[in-house]
Amino acid sequence: MTQTYRASSLDMLRSDSRIVTVLGPADFGDLTRVQSRVLALASVGPATRLGLHAQQFSAAWAFEPDRVVEHITEGPSVHHAQLAERLTEFAHESVVDIPVRIRLDGRYLFLDLNHGLGDALLPVDLFAYLADASPNAPLPAWAGGAVEGHPLRKALLHWAVRNPRKIVDTIYGRVFPALTPESAESTEGPDTASPTAFRPWTPSAAVAVAVTPVGTTDAIRRWRISNLPGASVSAVMCAAVSAAFVRTSFSVARSAGFLFDCRRYLPPSTTVLGNFAAGIGFTDIDPTSPREVNDALSGAIDKGRPIASATISTIKYKREQRAVSGVFDDRAPVSPNVDLMFSDVGRVRQLEPVSWVAEPADRAFFVIAAPGSPESVMITMETIDSVVFVSASFHDNVFDSQTVQSALDLVAADPLALLAPQEKIA
């Protein structure tokens, strides 16, 4: 009898979308090694996610670990300069009914998995295991430990016990979002003024990528000492990316969406491999201002807005039984604004000791996350050591690919140079 696993509502919310990534160049061994390691990890049990057959319309997911190797293949070697194009092509080859696809192209590993299986943490941990060149590398520590499959209740209790005075403010801000500067409805960002003209449109996701100079995060920490004490590196990078789009002649909406990892609200010993992130869209915010971005992010985290958003999303899913990440538009504005959304994974220490075969500036960790609306541009960032890897996912039939890449080229050259004069070192 096939074993089943009951997916959480947060998993079901993402079960109609994909996470498509690439990492390298690193020593992944040969195809046989990749297949055997993925099979070993999947066979541990459903908690490791890889053996699950994610479905959109049923929370009873079949656990079929032996089938995971069916879609682990090998392709031609690829060069760093070709990664954005190859990643886009790989994403377009996704098949709804295939939970996990992996392809080894020389020293680069491409991963395509149903978003219902997990959020950004799962690809990071999987890459760390597969790029370990040690002979007979042991399974990751989390594979044999307790994994929390339904973390929301535990997170709510943990946060509420420690922040009893903030509960009313959080509920008030979530139930009456018009009275607060942010709305936690979704990651799709707030509505902007309706354009006067539309045209027929179908999705056409693409990605542009950038790698910042070595020492970028160190430079940002030095910068904020004199300019914005206490600001997060993430807030500064988000503002720099936004400024790059403005400088590249894009019309950028005065708004931004941010994805928050809700694991911050759990007890430190809790491991969650499934989806536990929530989006908040902020209105009337200048996304090019590190100060405004930092105030918005830190305020939301302090007030527990992400966990409130995750709770409301779960309630809505139980009521509507509809995933939130699909594309529902069939027309695009003739004069589009860029609606920026950010997902910053932060520093991924798990990937720092892996078997890289290139210097930091020549490495890659890129993501294509299909934007839900025509004007959406999804910025995904990860930091390895002091280098930030930036991916911009967008629809190339709405925004010109070369112009988007030009914006990211500015980020790759010097993120701090993009900040407004009043927010630069005097």
Side-chain angles (χ1 to χ4, degrees):
M1 178 179 292
T2 301
Q3 184 179 352
T4 60
Y5 173 92
R6 185 162 185 81
S8 72
S9 294
L10 289 174
D11 291 336
M12 294 297 294
L13 274 168
R14 301 297 177 189
S15 61
D16 68 341
S17 61
R18 315 290 296 190
I19 298 179
V20 187
T21 64
V22 62
L23 185 99
D27 181 4
F28 293 103
D30 56 15
L31 181 63
T32 300
R33 192 183 91 179
V34 174
Q35 290 175 327
S36 62
R37 288 193 180 183
V38 174
L39 179 59
L41 190 55
S43 299
V44 170
T48 63
R49 318 292 291 182
L50 295 177
L52 293 173
H53 191 110
Q55 302 178 66
Q56 295 183 34
F57 306 109
S58 172
W61 291 359
F63 177 56
E64 303 170 323
D66 293 342
R67 297 192 61 187
V68 76
V69 297
E70 294 177 3
H71 303 286
I72 302 177
T73 59
E74 194 168 18
S77 295
V78 61
H79 298 292
H80 191 280
Q82 303 170 307
L83 285 176
E85 180 180 0
R86 188 73 67 87
L87 184 60
T88 299
E89 293 173 352
F90 186 66
H92 289 177
E93 295 166 357
S94 290
V95 178
V96 172
D97 200 45
I98 299 177
V100 181
R101 286 192 311 134
I102 295 175
R103 194 175 72 205
L104 179 64
D105 289 4
R107 294 292 193 175
Y108 293 91
L109 195 71
F110 290 78
L111 171 65
D112 165 27
L113 73 157
N114 186 298
H115 202 332
L117 296 180
D119 53 29
L121 181 63
L122 183 57
V124 167
D125 283 343
L126 181 57
F127 278 135
Y129 176 49
L130 297 179
D132 183 346
S134 305
N136 302 314
L139 289 169
W142 51 263
V147 176
E148 181 63 53
H150 299 266
L152 186 54
R153 184 178 301 177
K154 179 182 288 189
L156 279 168
L157 179 61
H158 185 255
W159 183 80
V161 167
R162 285 159 178 76
N163 301 275
R165 296 182 180 180
K166 296 178 182 177
I167 296 175
V168 173
D169 181 50
T170 299
I171 295 174
Y172 184 80
R174 184 59 189 89
V175 175
F176 302 102
L179 303 180
T180 65
E182 75 268 8
S183 171
E185 287 294 337
S186 72
T187 58
E188 294 305 313
D191 292 334
T192 56
S194 297
T196 57
F198 289 88
R199 60 180 177 81
W201 175 80
T202 57
S204 180
V207 67
V209 299
V211 181
T212 68
V214 174
T216 292
T217 54
D218 298 328
I220 290 174
R221 292 186 182 95
R222 292 192 298 269
W223 174 90
R224 68 185 182 183
I225 291 173
S226 301
N227 293 269
L228 200 58
S232 68
V233 172
S234 178
V236 176
M237 277 299 303
C238 289
V241 172
S242 301
F245 275 84
V246 171
R247 291 199 185 187
T248 319
S249 74
F250 285 106
S251 174
V252 177
R254 187 177 172 81
S255 61
F258 298 89
L259 199 65
F260 293 82
D261 187 348
C262 293
R263 292 171 179 82
R264 69 181 76 243
Y265 299 107
L266 286 164
S269 60
T270 308
T271 300
V272 177
L273 296 176
N275 286 281
F276 203 38
I280 298 178
F282 294 82
T283 58
D284 194 26
I285 180 177
D286 178 3
T288 70
S289 167
R291 186 180 303 278
E292 291 193 31
V293 172
N294 188 73
D295 287 349
L297 298 182
S298 59
I301 291 170
D302 180 64
K303 294 177 182 179
R305 305 279 187 206
I307 199 67
S309 178
T311 302
I312 297 299
S313 294
T314 297
I315 293 171
K316 288 182 66 176
Y317 176 79
K318 289 182 180 298
R319 183 177 67 241
E320 301 173 3
Q321 297 292 302
R322 184 168 71 91
V324 300
S325 49
V327 176
F328 304 105
D329 295 294
D330 59 4
R331 60 179 188 162
V334 173
S335 300
N337 288 318
V338 172
D339 285 336
L340 287 168
M341 299 174 289
F342 294 91
S343 175
D344 185 2
V345 180
R347 185 173 178 180
V348 283
R349 298 179 185 274
Q350 305 96 306
L351 295 179
E352 291 174 3
V354 303
S355 57
W356 298 102
V357 293
E359 295 302 313
D362 298 317
R363 298 171 185 172
F365 185 9
F366 302 136
V367 179
I368 178 169
S373 67
E375 295 175 285
S376 298
V377 176
M378 183 72 190
I379 305 297
T380 307
M381 297 186 290
E382 311 91 8
T383 300
I384 300 177
D385 292 313
S386 61
V387 175
V388 184
F389 298 85
V390 185
S391 308
S393 303
F394 62 101
H395 295 287
D396 59 9
N397 55 5
V398 177
F399 300 113
D400 177 68
S401 296
Q402 292 185 352
T403 311
V404 174
Q405 185 60 59
S406 295
L408 289 203
D409 289 343
L410 294 176
V411 177
D414 185 357
L416 288 176
L418 295 164
L419 302 182
Q422 65 269 24
E423 293 182 308
K424 293 171 67 174
I425 297 174

